[in-house]
Amino acid sequence: MRNTFSPLTVYAALFMIFLYGPVLMIPLFSFNDSLFTTFPLKGFTFKHYGTMAANTGMLNALRNSIVVAVCSSIIATAIGLLAAIALTRNRLPGNAIILAAFSLPLIVPSIVFGVAILIIMLKFLGIALSLWTVGAAHVFICIPFSMTVLMSRLEGFDKSLEEASRDLGENAWMTFYRVTLPLALPGVISSLLLCFITSFDEFVLAFFLAGTDPTLPVYLFGQLRFPNKLPGMLALGTSILMLSTMLVLLAEFFRKRGVQANVPGDA
């Protein structure tokens, strides 16, 4: 009988505890009947969730983040879908260069892009900082995530289906609408969810570009210096943690569903 508690298993368990242990403290302290996040816990209460619901500034920042995340995810997925189709259906001479250019936001630190976009918006374009500038920056960083998901999806199904549609008289647009889009739909939904999460959680670009309308991460950062605000933020963090987990699981479900749909069944 093999020993299941190998050093690698112990290391993996300790690593998971180190990685997710602090995150699990957020829900725990959100129900603690105290202003301080210390042990031992004083008692069990839901009052911090009531405090969260009554904080209009926090709710406005939450609304800003949701609006920016929804718009950014839709635009980034639309651009990512078109780019993924172009790169998977056409073998252009500069495909590798184009793909590398689209992937730059995954490599270059966000603070570099934040400063660069700030200078471009203010000095060269003369655009005042607002949620529009935050949304534009978030579209920029979400496109690589969208393309990664959609390219794997588009390369996974039989391209002869599109060729058959063209042979039967459909033009390129109707082929996309009736064949490509339905087959790519799991990837599109997964892309929307991942881009939403990426935009919703993003802090650095929003910190540079938000202006007077902060997104939720920027607002929470500004409230950390007030100890009496911390329990309400923990309650909101718990709610966001649960929602983000569900969105990630949903995105993974659609991604796997798309992959399984490409596996031919047993004859």
Side-chain angles (χ1 to χ4, degrees):
M1 183 176 177
R2 297 179 59 186
N3 184 12
T4 57
F5 294 98
S6 64
L8 184 60
T9 303
V10 175
Y11 170 79
L14 293 176
F15 178 78
M16 295 297 291
I17 293 173
F18 172 80
L19 190 63
Y20 292 105
V23 177
L24 296 178
M25 292 293 102
I26 295 177
L28 180 63
F29 285 115
S30 70
F31 295 106
N32 183 29
D33 191 10
S34 174
L35 291 177
F36 305 102
T37 56
T38 58
F39 289 103
L41 303 180
K42 298 298 183 182
F44 185 86
T45 182
F46 286 99
K47 68 179 182 181
H48 301 317
Y49 289 86
T51 302
M52 174 194 71
N55 191 331
T56 55
M58 184 184 296
L59 294 180
N60 288 335
L62 176 62
R63 181 194 61 193
N64 292 340
S65 285
I66 292 176
V67 170
V68 170
V70 169
C71 295
S72 299
S73 60
I74 293 174
I75 297 173
T77 298
I79 297 174
L81 179 59
L82 297 177
I85 292 174
L87 292 175
T88 56
R89 296 299 181 267
N90 303 289
R91 299 302 176 186
L92 303 175
N95 262 17
I97 299 176
I98 295 173
L99 185 58
F102 274 114
S103 301
L104 279 178
L106 299 176
I107 304 170
V108 179
S110 296
I111 191 171
V112 176
F113 281 120
V115 174
I117 296 174
L118 178 65
I119 294 174
I120 292 173
M121 292 290 183
L122 292 180
K123 300 298 183 181
F124 293 95
L125 300 180
I127 299 176
L129 299 181
S130 65
L131 294 180
W132 290 100
T133 55
V134 176
H138 283 188
V139 169
F140 181 70
I141 64 170
C142 285
I143 288 177
F145 294 97
S146 175
M147 288 184 59
T148 301
V149 173
L150 292 170
M151 287 184 67
S152 63
R153 175 60 183 155
L154 290 172
E155 290 177 345
F157 66 80
D158 191 355
K159 299 177 184 179
S160 63
L161 296 174
E162 295 175 323
E163 297 174 359
S165 175
R166 298 296 297 272
D167 291 340
L168 292 173
E170 292 287 8
N171 56 32
W173 165 248
M174 292 307 296
T175 297
F176 168 79
Y177 179 73
R178 293 185 173 182
V179 179
T180 307
L181 184 59
L183 291 172
L185 189 59
V188 171
I189 296 175
S190 181
S191 170
L192 287 170
L193 294 174
L194 289 176
C195 290
F196 179 89
I197 295 171
T198 301
S199 174
F200 187 85
D201 294 339
E202 204 283 324
F203 170 77
V204 176
L205 294 177
F207 182 79
F208 280 98
L209 304 171
T212 58
D213 297 317
T215 60
L216 185 61
V218 176
Y219 177 85
L220 294 181
F221 178 77
Q223 296 296 302
L224 288 176
R225 63 182 182 272
F226 303 112
N228 62 319
K229 302 285 187 178
L230 184 58
M233 290 189 287
L234 292 175
L236 181 62
T238 301
S239 304
I240 294 174
L241 178 63
M242 295 174 62
L243 178 61
S244 299
T245 301
M246 289 188 292
L247 289 178
V248 170
L249 293 176
L250 190 61
E252 184 65 12
F253 168 77
F254 281 106
R255 187 192 69 82
K256 288 186 176 181
R257 182 180 178 184
V259 172
Q260 291 172 356
N262 294 326
V263 178
D266 297 333

